[in-house]
Amino acid sequence: MKTITLADMQQQSEAAANSPRLRQHRNLHPELSDPVQRLAIAMEPGTYVRPHRHPHTFELLLPLRGRFVVLNYDDHGKVTHRAVLGEECTALEMAAGTWHSVLSLDNGGIIFEVKHGGYQPVTEQDSAPWAPAEGEAGTAELVQWYAQAQVGDTY
């Protein structure tokens, strides 16, 4: 049996808070080639998740602790859907190929993700060309925009 205990979540959140990227993964799948990827991601406010898509798989998100803004976009960066997991929504599934980003609203937030595997890193082609890459100028401003963005807005 695999579990994620409250103590595990506390330890994972502390590791995320001390990480340069403000994130920490805990995989439940035994290896990266597993056909179903299942992982808890501790995300602190301020971590930057560049808008991206997974052309090969759906993505299911569930908040374990905290609240998360999830934005979906069209090909030009216009917001098509907005949900706040852990507040108005307890589960969200996006179709394969959906442009999306995630923002942690709370310290100690942990989101659970399920998608088809094996693990495939996001390619440049599947990273939004209208958003800066991690480490580039403008990421902090985009993170702030995520918190306020509404359906119909374009960054």
Side-chain angles (χ1 to χ4, degrees):
M1 177 187 306
K2 296 177 184 178
T3 64
I4 299 174
T5 66
L6 295 176
D8 292 336
M9 288 196 300
Q10 184 61 36
Q11 182 181 37
Q12 187 178 358
S13 290
E14 289 170 6
N18 292 312
S19 164
R21 296 180 75 207
L22 299 174
R23 283 194 297 244
Q24 181 69 37
H25 290 198
R26 179 185 180 92
N27 295 347
L28 290 188
H29 50 279
E31 52 192 51
L32 293 179
S33 62
D34 197 87
V36 180
Q37 304 287 289
R38 306 169 308 278
L39 61 151
I41 307 168
M43 298 174 64
E44 290 297 303
T47 189
Y48 177 60
V49 178
R50 184 180 185 185
H52 63 283
R53 63 184 174 189
H54 307 283
H56 68 288
T57 182
F58 69 90
E59 185 167 355
L60 173 66
L61 299 174
L62 303 133
L64 297 181
R65 184 167 72 183
R67 297 168 302 138
F68 302 85
V69 173
V70 180
L71 300 172
N72 290 167
Y73 307 90
D74 68 13
D75 289 338
H76 307 288
K78 182 174 160 183
V79 177
T80 58
H81 295 93
R82 181 185 201 276
V84 181
L85 284 171
E87 189 173 280
E88 65 199 37
C89 181
T90 59
L92 180 147
E93 183 176 283
M94 294 172 280
T98 302
W99 291 105
H100 64 282
S101 60
V102 179
L103 171 69
S104 176
L105 293 175
D106 301 313
N107 292 326
I110 300 180
I111 196 166
F112 195 80
E113 174 181 301
V114 179
K115 60 188 173 194
H116 288 294
Y119 170 72
Q120 295 181 21
V122 175
T123 65
E124 189 59 31
Q125 176 182 342
D126 294 316
S127 296
W130 39 266
E134 190 170 342
E136 290 182 353
T139 59
E141 293 80 8
L142 186 51
V143 166
Q144 290 176 347
W145 181 82
Y146 289 168
Q148 304 302 320
Q150 300 296 318
V151 172
D153 291 350
T154 302
Y155 183 71

